């Protein structure tokens, strides 16, 4: 227990997802799609979260064609931005192709719905369906045609492909919130790691903590004092 942590803020439920779980989830999702008789000629991976699931589905469903579209909604781990947009719009003719748009998770549903509508309108596919590894049913405004896991209790899934990004954003939140609550500015590495584990209930390992701290120094959110061996939050 660390005495200066007044309360574990913000209370966000986090689950660390391993590469093995991702392969297993994608494998099971492929089975569901296959069982339904849907045979996509083209997979459209929704950037960035749909890349790994999309690539695995290409393998498990024997799909050669992989395209991508970037739809953006969330810019910070576990914090929603205003709305979803198609970042780099472009056109292709998919009138002879059966298409599957793939994402990692359907949370609000905004980004996948936007991408689905964009592909339907501008790429003219013969047939179009959507798939995601996970679907957060109580909050999603959009249900994908295929999903493997239905999440009923909102959770932040710490996927292996956002581990460093999530880690530095979580650490940033720890230092800013703790400063607001207690005025604390200086952290040892050990305190930082202990607090991270306590707040988020996961352990991403030294490699990620160290790189995340480096990024926060580069971003001028933290400073490292060689003499005291402490990280200092640069407030404001
Ligand atoms: P959608 O609901 O269509 O997936 P969102 O805007 O809710 O669109 O989410 C966009 C992206 O943000 C997701 O594809 C995923 O990469 C990331 N994301 C959103 N919610 C979560 C979550 N609960 N856990 C992990 N990543 C998430």
């Amino acid at each position: 227990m660390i005495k200066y942590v007044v309360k574990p803020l913000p209370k966000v439920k986090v689950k660390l997802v391993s590469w093995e779980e991702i392969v297993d989830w994608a494998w099971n999702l492929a089975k569901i799609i296959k069982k339904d008789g849907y045979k996509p000629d083209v997979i459209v991976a929704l950037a960035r979260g749909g890349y790994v699931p999309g690539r695995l589905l290409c393998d498990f469903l024997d799909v050669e064609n992989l395209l991508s579209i970037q739809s953006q909604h969330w810019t910070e781990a576990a914090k929603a931005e205003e709305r979803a947009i198609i970042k780099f719009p472009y056109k292709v003719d998919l009138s002879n192709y059966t298409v599957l748009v793939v994402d990692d998770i359907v949370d609000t549903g905004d980004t996948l719905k936007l991408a689905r509508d964009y592909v339907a309108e501008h790429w003219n596919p013969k047939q179009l369906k959507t798939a995601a590894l996970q679907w957060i049913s109580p909050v999603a405004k959009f249900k994908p045609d295929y999903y493997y896991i239905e999440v009923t209790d909102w959770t932040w899934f710490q996927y292996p492909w956002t581990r460093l990004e999530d880690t530095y954003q979580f650490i940033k939140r720890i230092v800013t919130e703790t400063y607001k609550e207690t005025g604390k500015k200086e952290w040892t590495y050990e305190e930082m790691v202990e607090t991270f584990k306590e707040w988020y209930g996961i352990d991403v390992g030294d490699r990620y903590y160290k790189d995340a701290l480096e990024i926060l120094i580069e971003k001028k959110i933290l400073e490292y004092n060689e003499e005291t061996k402490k990280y200092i939050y640069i407030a404001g």
Side-chain angles (χ1 to χ4, degrees):
M1 264 313 209
I2 295 162
K3 59 181 185 308
Y4 47 80
V5 176
V6 177
K7 51 184 171 179
L9 255 179
K11 279 210 186 76
V12 53
K13 196 178 159 203
V14 179
K15 164 155 172 40
L16 186 78
V17 182
S18 69
W19 285 109
E20 286 74 16
E21 280 173 299
I22 292 300
V23 175
D24 180 60
W25 297 355
W27 185 88
N28 279 292
L29 179 59
K31 287 283 173 276
I32 291 165
I33 295 164
K34 233 177 178 165
K35 215 170 174 182
D36 192 49
Y38 196 63
K39 291 194 181 76
D41 307 305
V42 178
I43 283 180
V44 178
L46 193 45
R48 297 173 291 168
Y51 265 59
V52 174
R55 181 62 186 89
L56 288 168
L57 284 182
C58 282
D59 194 22
F60 299 148
L61 295 171
D62 197 21
V63 177
E64 215 181 306
N65 306 309
L66 177 61
L67 292 182
S68 175
I69 189 163
Q70 184 155 16
S71 164
Q72 230 181 16
H73 187 101
W74 297 75
T75 52
E76 215 183 302
K79 275 191 178 177
E81 271 291 300
E82 285 289 298
R83 61 187 189 92
I85 50 151
I86 298 290
K87 209 169 176 189
F88 302 103
Y90 65 101
K91 280 189 185 187
V92 282
D93 180 16
L94 296 182
S95 49
N96 292 320
Y97 299 91
T98 296
V99 175
L100 183 68
V101 179
V102 176
D103 207 354
D104 47 4
I105 188 164
V106 177
D107 189 318
T108 67
D110 287 344
T111 59
L112 187 55
K113 184 180 181 301
L114 180 76
R116 197 266 324 255
D117 293 348
Y118 182 84
V119 170
E121 194 182 331
H122 300 282
W123 294 6
N124 195 32
K126 195 163 74 185
Q127 213 185 340
L128 176 62
K129 290 203 175 190
T130 54
L133 299 176
Q134 298 179 283
W135 170 53
I136 311 187
S137 55
V139 294
K141 285 171 262 167
F142 176 81
K143 185 180 179 181
D145 296 298
Y146 306 108
Y147 58 90
Y148 176 54
I149 293 169
E150 177 178 351
V151 179
T152 52
D153 187 15
W154 194 92
T155 303
W156 181 260
F157 292 91
Q158 205 307 283
Y159 295 123
W161 51 81
T162 53
R163 198 146 289 159
L164 184 55
E165 193 176 307
D166 285 358
T167 302
Y168 86 69
Q169 287 181 358
F170 284 165
I171 292 177
K172 183 180 164 191
R173 221 174 291 169
I174 290 172
V175 295
T176 52
E177 294 294 330
T178 305
Y179 176 72
K180 268 193 247 158
E181 291 285 328
T182 68
K184 178 182 168 65
K185 270 189 172 184
E186 297 190 6
W187 296 79
T188 65
Y189 175 78
E190 289 72 24
E191 282 173 341
M192 198 75 97
V193 170
E194 277 313 304
T195 310
F196 183 97
K197 291 190 214 167
E198 200 167 300
W199 279 38
Y200 298 105
I202 60 168
D203 182 9
V204 296
D206 280 329
R207 196 185 266 206
Y208 284 100
Y209 297 125
K210 290 197 169 137
D211 283 359
L213 289 165
E214 280 304 311
I215 289 172
L216 291 171
I217 290 169
E218 274 167 31
K219 288 184 181 292
K220 304 207 184 309
I221 288 156
L222 294 178
E223 236 171 34
Y224 185 65
N225 186 316
E226 295 285 348
E227 276 168 31
T228 59
K229 306 242 179 291
K230 283 187 174 178
Y231 293 90
I232 299 144
Y233 173 51
I234 308 170

